[in-house]
Amino acid sequence: METTTDETAAEDARTEEAAPQEAATADGTARDAATGGASGADAEADADADATADAEAAEAAGPSGVGQGAGAVVSVALGIVSLTGSWTGTVAAARETLVGQLRTSSTASVSQQIKEVYGDAWHTTALWAGLFALVALVTGAVVLVRPAFGAPGRPQAPWIKSVAWAGVALGVIGLLLAVLKYSDALLGLPPAS
């Protein structure tokens, strides 16, 4: 019985020694969990701060140039329309032809009939082409000078400049052709003989 008591006493002593170690381990685990939770909260706060800093940096950097790029593309499109013709110009020319036919009597001279029926329609087409060319020219020029009034240290993307210059060039060509067509210097009405 003595050996059992000694063994029980030894086990009790070992249990008493292990209890503080287990308590210390549990306390350390709780401390680690609390630190990990705080560390996770700190990581989220750091991520939020980084996202906010990135957004502020992008805002401070200025506009992305999307509007300028769109303006440059619109300028080219309007320049092409001025050279190829537009639905608006076609409808206006057809209307002018109809008006010329209604105003011209059958007893009018041939030259008068040509001018009223075809000449006015031709001039109307030239006028609409000139308007589209002028808008293309102005839009391209505005896109090119826009960086002077924007963020001073932010250069304009090269593709935007190229497309805007193309729009300006098409606008100038379209405007020149419209003036030549309207003044009958280019493809004027045939003489009535």
Side-chain angles (χ1 to χ4, degrees), residues 45-71:
D46 288 343
D48 289 342
D50 289 343
T52 304
D54 290 344
E56 289 173 359
E59 188 176 311
S64 63
V66 172
Q68 293 177 26

Side-chain angles (χ1 to χ4, degrees), residues 14-182:
R14 273 188 243 134
T15 306
E16 287 176 7
E17 287 176 7
Q21 288 176 350
E22 288 176 5
T25 304
D27 186 38
T29 305
R31 221 178 295 125
D32 288 343
T35 306
S39 174
D42 289 343
E44 284 183 30
D46 288 343
D48 289 342
D50 289 343
T52 304
D54 290 344
E56 289 173 359
E59 188 176 311
S64 63
V66 172
Q68 293 177 26
V73 170
V74 166
S75 173
V76 168
L78 290 172
I80 291 171
V81 167
S82 75
L83 294 175
T84 60
S86 67
W87 176 83
T88 311
T90 303
V91 169
R95 181 183 184 281
E96 204 56 45
T97 299
L98 181 62
V99 169
Q101 288 173 349
L102 293 173
R103 286 187 184 165
T104 307
S105 65
S106 59
T107 58
S109 67
V110 173
S111 61
Q112 181 67 23
Q113 288 179 2
I114 290 173
K115 181 192 173 301
E116 290 293 329
V117 176
Y118 300 107
D120 290 347
W122 180 249
H123 291 154
T124 302
T125 303
L127 180 66
W128 278 100
L131 287 174
F132 276 101
L134 184 63
V135 173
L137 177 65
V138 169
T139 305
V142 166
V143 169
L144 288 172
V145 300
R146 172 64 178 98
F149 302 105
R154 186 165 174 88
Q156 192 174 43
W159 74 269
I160 294 175
K161 284 183 184 179
S162 299
V163 174
W165 275 114
V168 168
L170 288 171
V172 168
I173 292 169
L175 197 56
L176 178 65
L177 288 175
V179 168
L180 290 174
K181 286 191 294 185
Y182 193 83

